Amino acid sequence: MLTLLIVAIVAVCDADLGPDVIATKGEVWPKPQRQEKSQNYFIVQPQTFNFMPPDNVGCPSFLRGALTRYSNIIANQQPVKPRKRSWKVGDNFAGFLEILNIELEEECPDEDVLPGFGDVEEYTLTVTATEGTLSAPTIWGVLRGLETFSQLIYLEEDTLLINATTIHDFPRFPHRGLLIDTSRHFEPVEVILQHLDAMAYNKLNVFHWHITDDHSFPYKSRTYPELSNQGAYHPVAKIYNQEDVKRVIEHARLRGIRVIPEFDTPAHTRSWGVAYPELLTTCYENGAPTGELGPMDPSKDSTYDFLTNLFTEVTKAGKFALLSSCWYLSELVDGPDWNIFYKCEPLDFDGSDEQKKLVLGGEACMWGEYVNQYNIIPKVWPGASAVAERLWSNVNVSNFTDAQKRIEEHACRMNRRGIGALPPNGPGFCL
Ligand SMILES: *[C@@H]1O[C@H](CO)[C@@H](O)[C@H](O)[C@H]1NC(C)=O
Ligand SMILES: *[C@@H]1O[C@H](CO)[C@@H](O)[C@H](O)[C@H]1NC(C)=O
Ligand SMILES: *[C@@H]1O[C@H](CO)[C@@H](O)[C@H](O)[C@H]1NC(C)=O
């Protein structure tokens, strides 16, 4: 007891007052490629501010959801009951921001268009007068620009402000993903949808769904229902049926995120063998079967037929695009250790310039051994935000001290939007 008391006193005497890292105000994460900022600022009043969508045929309905989402995000940033106004406008006050005009340079896509590899995500955002403009060649660029616009708005006392700003932005890499493993532990659809929201807040564009593995087979196949009837942790409560899969794909699509399912094969398939043991190889020892099963049996034609049938169903019904991929494994890392990810430069590996040109991007990978629905959000965020910035921003955006202040604001921003991101820098507070 005495020792504890002494330790406590030392700790109190040692501590500094206030947060360890002071958050920025209205800085964008991931940092835009080109941005000019000014000290001049506009007041944003959610009650009177409006988005002005383009009048191309079809676009209003595709965009409507996004504009509603961002209107709500902006309105929710305003305190419900403003305190007595203590804050007064200063010399740099430039007026009230009334409108953000949205210009789409291309035709609007069909309502059911899916994001694809290499889609243009570029946009230009200009807020220098009481009418701002967001213009982009594609709908995906508009979505990225709306996210940026929402992040520029910050609270000063009880008033929402946006500084005069011009941004021209585009990603450094086309493939910026998050991998979630739903086999080691089942993650309910609601949790997956939260990750998709957080991905949009970080401009990640690929949800890599590591849907099956050794431990369980949660995908409910129409062609082979016994796979999940026997191979899932629970045949009803721990599965994704066709409706669930559709919900995930649609939620992702509206946010410009591709869904890539991975049915891990030919190894990591123990869960397949519960219903279909003939798919797997028989293990032998001293010439006799051991009773154990190995990876998928590549010597049988029936294995290929089975996979062809399953993947035909998956690609058709789910409108998934299949991808074969390889990646470098890194240790799993807690949110506070986001700095390990941040300090990782994607092209910093032994290889020629020609080889480096072939890198498409990267992914933050959350393997499921030690995460379930209760801890996966803080395990992933804001660690994946660090990855998102290294994959989106210019190669020279790597100043850790600078990033600390911005990610402090960004983690609070995610918290405010309902994402349980961990505090990234130790003691501090969110407004
Ligand atoms: C935004 O404007 C305010 C008020 O003039 C100024 O104090 C602040 O430094 C500006 N922020 C940036 C990022 O330029
Ligand atoms: C990084 O490079 C871009 C483009 O070359 C430049 O506009 C920007 O100012 C640089 N940023 C930093 C932090 O050096
Ligand atoms: C990194 O950012 C900090 C804080 O914004 C700044 O003080 C420092 O000069 C920057 N370092 C370099 C090398 O640019």
Side-chain angles (χ1 to χ4, degrees), residues 33-51:
Q33 297 277 351
R34 299 204 186 100
Q35 177 172 17
E36 281 168 31
K37 294 177 272 194
S38 124
Q39 306 272 310
N40 295 339
Y41 59 90
F42 301 89
I43 289 182
V44 183
Q45 289 181 307
Q47 310 85 338
T48 53
F49 168 77
N50 280 303
F51 290 113

Side-chain angles (χ1 to χ4, degrees), residues 352-400:
S352 66
D353 287 351
E354 285 308 306
Q355 285 169 325
K356 290 184 184 187
K357 275 190 202 132
L358 300 175
V359 173
L360 304 177
E363 297 186 353
C365 301
M366 186 71 251
W367 301 106
E369 283 87 345
Y370 297 98
V371 290
N372 60 18
Q373 68 199 86
Y374 301 104
N375 69 344
I376 189 170
I377 296 277
K379 273 278 184 188
V380 171
W381 306 102
S385 303
V387 177
E389 177 153 294
R390 296 314 306 261
L391 293 174
W392 176 282
S393 304
N394 193 288
V395 59
N396 64 9
V397 177
S398 59
N399 181 334
F400 181 66

Side-chain angles (χ1 to χ4, degrees), residues 151-172:
Q151 296 192 7
L152 288 170
I153 297 170
Y154 62 96
L155 191 66
E156 192 68 60
E157 303 281 334
D158 52 13
T159 308
L160 294 183
L161 304 181
I162 185 167
N163 284 32
T165 306
T166 307
I167 290 176
H168 178 210
D169 200 12
F170 48 89
R172 180 180 172 205

Side-chain angles (χ1 to χ4, degrees), residues 67 112 353 412:
L67 298 184
D112 59 352
D353 287 351
C412 285

Side-chain angles (χ1 to χ4, degrees), residues 399-402 405:
N399 181 334
F400 181 66
T401 318
D402 184 68
K405 301 177 198 170

Side-chain angles (χ1 to χ4, degrees), residues 152-286:
L152 288 170
I153 297 170
Y154 62 96
L155 191 66
E156 192 68 60
E157 303 281 334
D158 52 13
T159 308
L160 294 183
L161 304 181
I162 185 167
N163 284 32
T165 306
T166 307
I167 290 176
H168 178 210
D169 200 12
F170 48 89
R172 180 180 172 205
F173 292 104
H175 184 111
R176 305 177 310 281
L178 172 66
L179 177 148
I180 301 284
D181 164 4
T182 57
S183 172
R184 269 59 177 250
H185 280 92
F186 178 81
E187 302 294 344
V189 170
E190 301 304 329
V191 170
I192 294 180
L193 301 187
Q194 271 215 323
H195 280 298
L196 292 170
D197 290 347
M199 287 175 70
Y201 303 152
N202 289 276
K203 299 191 173 80
L204 291 175
N205 65 355
V206 178
F207 172 50
H208 181 158
W209 193 350
H210 187 83
I211 198 163
T212 68
D213 207 297
D214 276 336
H215 303 81
S216 75
F217 194 105
Y219 173 74
K220 173 118 190 190
S221 162
R222 270 189 309 222
T223 320
Y224 300 110
E226 288 309 309
L227 279 169
S228 60
N229 285 347
Q230 299 186 42
Y233 284 137
H234 187 280
V236 180
K238 305 286 183 193
I239 56 147
Y240 305 105
N241 60 31
Q242 302 287 322
E243 277 311 303
D244 294 330
V245 171
K246 278 202 190 108
R247 264 181 87 195
V248 168
I249 293 173
E250 180 64 2
H251 199 86
R253 179 181 83 88
L254 295 173
R255 287 157 183 77
I257 299 169
R258 285 192 299 151
V259 180
I260 296 180
E262 183 194 1
F263 291 79
D264 209 346
T265 57
H268 292 216
T269 45
R270 221 163 57 209
S271 64
W272 306 53
V274 189
Y276 297 96
E278 66 277 13
L279 283 174
L280 307 185
T281 42
T282 308
C283 297
Y284 285 85
E285 208 172 85
N286 301 326

